[in-house]
C-alpha cells in the first residue's frame, strides 16, 4: 500500500493539457523531500521524466513539467500526443518509513 | 550514461531464495547509490532497497526481514537476495542508479522472476 496516491487514470484529446496529481503527507512530500516522475511505456522499464520536482533530464520534451506545493505534486503534459500513452509514477522519500516510495501510478490515454 | 543489466534465474520455487545480480557498465559502482525495485505483473512499482558502494544499505520495512543487498566493487556489480519467497514475490525486478537528487536516472531492462513449483 503506497503512501503516495495518484489517480488510476487520466485521459485527454491530442493537443490537450492533462495533469496527474501525487498526494502525499507531512512525512514525505510535505517534509520538503524532492519528487521525481517516471514514464513507463508498455512492456518497457520506467524512464526518468522529471527530477527534483521540476527539472527535465536532457532529451525529455518541454511539454512535460512538474510542480510541488504543500503535501502534493503534479505532472503536466501540455499538448498531449499519442506517444505519451503510458503509465506515470511519482517517487519521493518518506521519513516515517525511512525509505523511498513510489506513487500508485496513473495510466494516461490519448482519446 | 551508465548502463545496468539484471541477471539471474527466471524461476524460483516457493520457500527458496531468489538471487539476482545487476552488472554496471559505462561507470563505476563507487559513484552512486544503487537500488532494486520490483513490479508484479500488471501492478505498480515497489521499492525494495538501496546500497552505497561502502556497503551501507536501506530496505523497505515490509521486506526487510527477507532482503539482503550487497555490492562487489571488484566486479562492478551489486546483488539482491530475497529469502523464503512465495507467489506474491513474482515480479519484474529492476536495478537502477541514483542521481544527485536521489532520482533513479538509469534503469536496467528488468528481469521477470516467477515463483512456482
Amino acid at each position: 500500500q503506497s503512501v503516495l496516491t495518484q489517480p488510476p487514470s487520466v485521459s485527454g484529446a491530442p493537443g490537450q493539457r492533462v495533469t496527474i496529481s501525487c498526494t502525499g503527507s507531512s512525512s514525505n512530500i510535505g517534509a520538503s523531500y524532492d519528487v521525481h516522475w517516471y514514464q513507463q511505456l508498455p512492456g518497457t522499464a520506467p524512464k526518468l521524466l522529471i527530477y527534483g520536482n521540476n527539472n527535465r533530464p536532457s532529451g525529455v520534451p518541454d511539454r512535460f513539467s512538474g510542480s510541488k506545493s504543500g503535501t502534493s505534486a503534479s505532472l503536466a503534459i501540455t499538448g498531449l500526443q499519442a506517444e505519451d500513452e503510458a503509465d506515470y509514477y511519482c517517487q519521493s522519500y518518506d521519513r516515517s518509513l525511512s525509505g523511498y516510495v513510489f506513487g500508485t501510478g496513473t495510466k494516461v490515454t490519448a482519446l | 550514461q551508465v548502463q545496468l543489466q539484471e541477471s539471474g534465474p527466471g524461476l524460483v520455487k516457493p520457500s527458496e531464495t531468489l538471487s539476482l545480480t545487476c552488472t554496471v557498465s559505462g561507470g563505476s559502482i563507487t559513484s552512486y547509490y544503487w537500488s532494486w525495485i520490483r513490479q508484479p505483473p500488471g501492478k505498480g512499482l515497489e521499492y525494495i532497497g538501496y546500497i552505497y558502494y561502502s556497503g551501507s544499505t536501506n530496505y523497505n520495512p515490509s521486506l526487510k526481514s527477507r532482503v539482503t543487498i550487497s555490492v562487489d566493487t571488484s566486479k562492478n556489480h551489486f546483488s539482491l537476495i530475497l529469502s523464503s519467497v512465495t507467489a506474491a514475490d513474482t515480479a519484474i525486478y529492476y536495478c537502477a542508479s541514483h542521481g544527485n537528487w536521489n532520482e533513479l536516472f538509469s534503469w536496467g531492462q528488468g528481469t521477470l522472476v516467477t515463483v512456482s513449483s
Side-chain angles (χ1 to χ4, degrees):
Chain A
Q1 186 172 344
S2 177
V3 298
L4 300 180
T5 302
Q6 300 177 231
S9 64
V10 298
S11 61
Q16 279 192 330
R17 180 177 187 269
V18 298
T19 61
I20 301 169
S21 60
C22 174
T23 302
S25 69
S26 58
S27 67
N28 42 68
I29 298 174
S32 298
Y33 291 109
D34 292 317
V35 177
H36 317 298
W37 291 90
Y38 303 88
Q39 177 192 60
Q40 186 175 33
L41 296 169
T44 68
K47 167 194 164 186
L48 179 65
L49 200 63
I50 296 288
Y51 67 95
N53 307 312
N54 55 15
N55 301 287
R56 280 178 287 105
S58 174
V60 172
D62 60 6
R63 65 177 182 276
F64 294 96
S65 62
S67 63
K68 186 180 104 168
S69 179
T71 58
S72 295
S74 291
L75 173 72
I77 308 175
T78 304
L80 184 67
Q81 299 185 7
E83 66 200 53
D84 299 332
E85 288 199 329
D87 293 323
Y88 293 82
Y89 295 89
C90 59
Q91 180 223 335
S92 187
Y93 184 87
D94 189 283
R95 64 184 178 193
S96 297
L97 298 174
S98 297
Y100 294 100
V101 290
F102 287 101
T104 49
T106 298
K107 183 175 184 62
V108 170
T109 302
L111 299 172
Chain B
Q1 176 89 343
V2 66
Q3 295 180 317
L4 301 95
Q5 177 67 58
E6 304 89 350
S7 59
L11 181 64
V12 181
K13 290 182 169 54
S15 80
E16 295 191 345
T17 297
L18 178 159
S19 181
L20 296 174
T21 295
C22 181
T23 300
V24 178
S25 59
S28 172
I29 203 162
T30 61
S31 298
Y32 306 106
Y33 282 80
W34 308 91
S35 281
W36 286 100
I37 302 101
R38 70 181 183 179
Q39 184 173 36
K43 297 188 178 181
L45 301 171
E46 180 182 30
Y47 221 103
I48 300 173
Y50 65 82
I51 190 166
Y52 193 49
Y53 79 95
S54 62
S56 62
T57 56
N58 179 280
Y59 300 135
N60 183 327
S62 69
L63 299 170
K64 191 172 185 176
S65 63
R66 300 193 292 129
V67 171
T68 302
I69 298 176
S70 60
V71 63
D72 188 331
T73 56
S74 67
K75 296 181 179 178
N76 224 42
H77 74 209
F78 62 107
S79 300
L80 169 70
I81 292 177
L82 181 65
S83 63
S84 304
V85 298
T86 69
D89 295 310
T90 293
I92 298 173
Y93 286 76
Y94 296 101
C95 57
S97 54
H98 289 239
N100 293 331
W101 295 68
N102 281 317
E103 78 281 18
L104 299 168
F105 75 89
S106 188
W107 294 64
Q109 64 184 26
T111 187
L112 175 62
V113 178
T114 302
V115 178
S116 175
S117 55

